[in-house]
Structure formats: C-alpha cells, structure tokens
Amino acid sequence: TDKILTIVTESDEFVGARLIIAARAVRDDEDLYGMYEGILENPFVLMPDVWYSLSGESKPDIPGYEFTDGGEESSSSQEEKPAASKPSKSTTSPKTRAKITLPTTTTKKTEKTTTQKKTTTTPKETTTGKTEVIPPPGDGTKTMRISSNGKILSGTILEILPMIVEAEMGSPFAPESLKAQAVAAYTFYIYSGGAAKAPSFPTKKASQKSIDAVKAVAGQQMFYNGKTPYTPYYAISAGRSANNEDVNVSNLPYLKSVDCSVDEKVSGFETVKTYSSAEVLKKIKTKTGIDLSGVAKDKWFVIQSRDANGLYVLKVDLGGKKTYRGSTLWSGVLGASYVRAPCYWITYNADNDTFTFKTRGYGGCVGLSQKGAGEYAKQGKDYIWILQHFYAGVTVK
C-alpha cells in the first residue's frame, strides 16, 4: 500500500492563498534513477487571477468548449468564443460529459504585445569582429519580493538585488562579473515566479561595488527564444561547466558544457577530504538506510560512468545494493562536507582504513561559474560576453 503525505498551509503570496504539497513514499523496490525523465509539465496550468496581477504575467489562452444543438461537443478557445455562446446549464444532460480538446502544440502565442521601449543601444566591437549590441541601463524601480533567512523582503530592484549580488559574489570580484551575476540572479528570480512566488535568495548588506553593478544593469534579464530561461550559477566549475542533463536531468539547449579552464587556477578548485570507514559507514546508513558493513570496502563506491568530458559522475554503484545518479550521491547523500560538486573521485585506503574524497569544483557546476566569471572579467570580457558564454544562445534585454 502506498503512503501518501499531503501538507496544506497558508501562503503569504496573496490573501487566501494556500500552499499544497502532495508526496508519495518511495517504494522498497523503486529505483529513482531516471524517473524524472517521464515527468511532463502541464502547459495549461492556470493560476488564480490575483497571481497574474501580482506577477505581471499574461493569463494563457486556455481550452474551452460549447455544445451544439445535437448534444455533441465543439471545442473553441476561450479567447475566440463570443460571450453570447456560453452554454447554459439547461442544455447539458446529466449523462453527457463535456470532452475538452486541448490545443495542439501550435498554440497561439499569448499576445503579450511586447511593446518594447525604444532605447538607444551602444554597438560594441567584440574580439570576434562581430558587432554586439549592449543594452542600456534598465529600470531599477520595479519591485522585487523575495524570501531570505526566513523573512519576506520587498523593495525596488536597486534595494534588493545588490544584497543578493553581495551574498553571492561581493566586492572582491571585478565589476563586469558582478553585472553578470546581477542579470543571472534577476533572470532566475523571474523564472522562479517573481514577486508572486517570493523565491528564496541569500542576502547580505551590499557594498558600493555591488550597488554600482546593479545600477548599471537593473531590470535587464536573459531570454532564450523569447522565454525566460533557467539560469543556475555556482562557485567553481571542474574546468568545464556540466551539461544540465548530466546533473539535473532536463536537456536544455542553453545549458551545455563549455570551457571554463580559468577555474583551474582559482583557490578551492580541488579539495581532498579523508574520513574513516566507520564514519563513512555511519553516514551512508543514516542518509540511505543501506548497511554496507558486509561489503568489501573497496566496493562501497564504484563509479560506473562519467560525462563526455570524463569529469562529472553520472552513475555510482553503492556496494552493489543501489545505483545512484552521481549528482544525487553528491547533494543528497554525501553532502558538501564530503564532496563539494558532482565531479569527484572516491578511493579506499586499506593501510589506514580510510576513504579519500577528491572533488573538483564547488556547487552544481551547471550555468555560470562565479569565480570563472571573475577571471573572465579580469581578462577584459564584459558581462554580456560572460553571460552568453555560460548560457549559450541567450539574449539580454
């Protein structure tokens, strides 16, 4: 029998909002590896009307239906249906079920008439000889609403975003890398639901350097094919960033592995930690419930595959008892005290009965490397170049 957990709590997104979370317990014989590949996103999700008012998003064109005189259903979109043709309750027989026909993938682009303000842009010559258009400073007066350290913070972009940039990178970094961080964080904020969702960010009192960086790019965000992309960032890569599908399952064309060999010379690029076998045994038992005591210690961690670059771990066999995604073993089982990124090597030392955990990189390693961005900025690269290097094919506006 499956165990289902449902949690309902009040939300502060708007008056009357509720947050509902439903979950099913993992079955004993269930392998979580690759299970996310079958998950589909509903393209017709509807939020309460107040959500669209708060977020500034347009309500999508949703499927509708109406009945003909003969009782058969004819589908029409809500937008096209004349007000007078709404079916009355008396026309439907209790036995007749309305069949809703979903629009095909060629759905109408929600006419968010992008009345973009005409702004003067400055063409800039790049090292490739191509002319690149640099966006002008954006609007810093828009409101941001986030959660940080257990509190909801609201204010303008110029008040909130510098605190995020300071917490993520701060004054030791070059200005162009701070600008890149500001745009990446703001894009992530929009992607995560913006003011209506109040996504979580770390914050810290902003230095003048972070404030100035945000002022230069306030309101600018990234787009990929006209949509807001998922823009993760992290501290240090393993010399190349990772493909999103190798760490987070989803295959996203703008989150592909790119060179970041500048990270190889930064502090913290490689770390080595050693733990006794007793400590490792306890850690695994506590986090997974798996007891490895009867397994040969050199078989506790068998890395089965890595990504195409031979860096990021894809699959790990845990003592012949369970196979984990490399990223799951890193983030969900061992944690940063053992390995700091999904690029790691685990060695058993029989002489002193210890395990050595060697890691390259720090963080998820998908998207923008913060220290890598800092190194590129030192080389004279501007924030647009940095963003388009780590997030392939994006535009900034």
Side-chain angles (χ1 to χ4, degrees):
T1 306
D2 282 332
K3 294 179 180 177
I4 305 296
L5 173 68
T6 305
I7 301 172
V8 182
T9 185
E10 290 187 354
S11 169
D12 62 356
E13 289 185 14
F14 50 83
V15 176
R18 296 288 184 274
L19 174 65
I20 303 174
I21 300 171
R24 172 177 63 76
V26 178
R27 298 165 186 152
D28 292 338
D29 60 348
E30 194 166 30
D31 182 6
L32 297 185
Y33 180 79
M35 71 175 292
Y36 305 106
E37 293 170 7
I39 294 176
L40 299 176
E41 182 180 356
N42 180 0
F44 306 112
V45 170
L46 280 182
M47 301 296 286
D49 286 345
V50 66
W51 185 87
Y52 297 103
S53 303
L54 290 169
S55 68
E57 296 288 329
S58 296
K59 192 170 183 179
D61 181 18
I62 59 168
Y65 62 90
E66 59 185 26
F67 288 91
T68 61
D69 292 339
E72 294 180 354
E73 308 89 15
S74 65
S75 65
S76 65
S77 94
Q78 192 180 55
E79 187 177 301
E80 292 168 343
K81 194 191 312 181
S85 67
K86 288 186 179 177
S88 66
K89 290 181 183 175
S90 58
T91 54
T92 43
S93 146
K95 295 179 183 176
T96 309
R97 279 194 180 176
K99 183 171 69 179
I100 300 177
T101 307
L102 296 178
T104 63
T105 46
T106 54
T107 49
K108 266 193 268 182
K109 291 178 184 168
T110 30
E111 291 179 12
K112 243 192 207 177
T113 5
T114 28
T115 44
Q116 292 172 345
K117 297 173 192 165
K118 290 193 177 176
T119 47
T120 349
T121 53
T122 314
K124 180 173 180 181
E125 196 71 23
T126 64
T127 51
T128 60
K130 293 180 182 175
T131 300
E132 185 178 78
V133 177
I134 303 299
D139 179 7
T141 63
K142 290 181 181 176
T143 300
M144 284 186 74
R145 183 171 171 272
I146 66 168
S147 59
S148 184
N149 302 316
K151 297 178 180 177
I152 297 294
L153 303 180
S154 291
T156 66
I157 291 175
L158 293 178
E159 291 169 333
I160 301 294
L161 193 52
M163 294 192 293
I164 297 173
V165 172
E166 188 69 29
E168 290 290 354
M169 293 178 74
S171 51
F173 287 84
E176 290 302 312
S177 61
L178 295 179
K179 291 178 191 176
Q181 174 65 69
V183 175
Y186 187 65
T187 304
F188 191 86
Y189 166 77
I190 298 296
Y191 175 87
S192 302
K197 294 286 185 184
S200 179
F201 287 92
T203 53
K204 190 177 178 182
K205 185 177 178 182
S207 64
Q208 191 58 48
K209 205 169 176 183
S210 292
I211 293 169
D212 291 342
V214 170
K215 278 182 181 176
V217 298
Q220 292 179 20
Q221 70 171 97
M222 284 179 273
F223 292 88
Y224 184 82
N225 286 346
K227 295 181 179 178
T228 303
Y230 167 55
T231 55
Y233 40 84
Y234 53 93
I236 311 169
S237 76
R240 290 188 67 88
S241 64
N243 292 312
N244 190 67
E245 63 265 32
D246 292 336
V247 176
N248 301 320
V249 181
S250 300
N251 184 352
L252 299 175
Y254 52 85
L255 286 177
K256 295 298 182 183
S257 174
V258 297
D259 176 69
C260 193
S261 49
V262 292
D263 273 337
E264 293 173 5
K265 62 182 182 182
V266 305
S267 171
F269 169 69
E270 186 171 288
T271 53
V272 178
K273 300 190 178 184
T274 302
Y275 290 90
S276 69
S277 66
E279 290 174 304
V280 175
L281 183 72
K282 183 179 178 182
K283 177 80 169 179
I284 297 301
K285 182 77 181 288
T286 302
K287 297 297 287 187
T288 69
I290 295 173
D291 185 359
L292 296 175
S293 56
V295 180
K297 292 173 184 175
D298 62 347
K299 302 296 182 189
W300 283 10
F301 303 97
V302 178
I303 294 175
Q304 297 180 328
S305 58
R306 294 182 184 270
D307 72 340
N309 299 306
L311 294 173
Y312 299 101
V313 178
L314 300 182
K315 282 187 183 182
V316 185
D317 176 73
L318 196 60
K321 300 197 173 187
K322 191 163 186 176
T323 300
Y324 281 91
R325 286 183 63 86
S327 56
T328 303
L329 191 74
W330 152 63
S331 63
V333 178
L334 294 173
S337 61
Y338 280 66
V339 290
R340 304 204 307 171
C343 175
Y344 52 84
W345 291 261
I346 305 173
T347 310
Y348 176 63
N349 315 296
D351 294 345
N352 55 7
D353 194 26
T354 61
F355 282 87
T356 299
F357 298 84
K358 182 173 82 171
T359 308
R360 285 183 186 167
Y362 193 3
C365 297
V366 174
L368 180 141
S369 161
Q370 293 164 326
K371 285 202 174 181
E375 293 301 307
Y376 285 128
K378 286 180 191 175
Q379 293 177 4
K381 307 294 187 187
D382 62 37
Y383 75 101
I384 298 285
W385 186 96
I386 293 169
L387 292 170
Q388 291 180 334
H389 176 69
F390 287 110
Y391 308 103
V394 299
T395 54
V396 181
K397 39 182 157 174

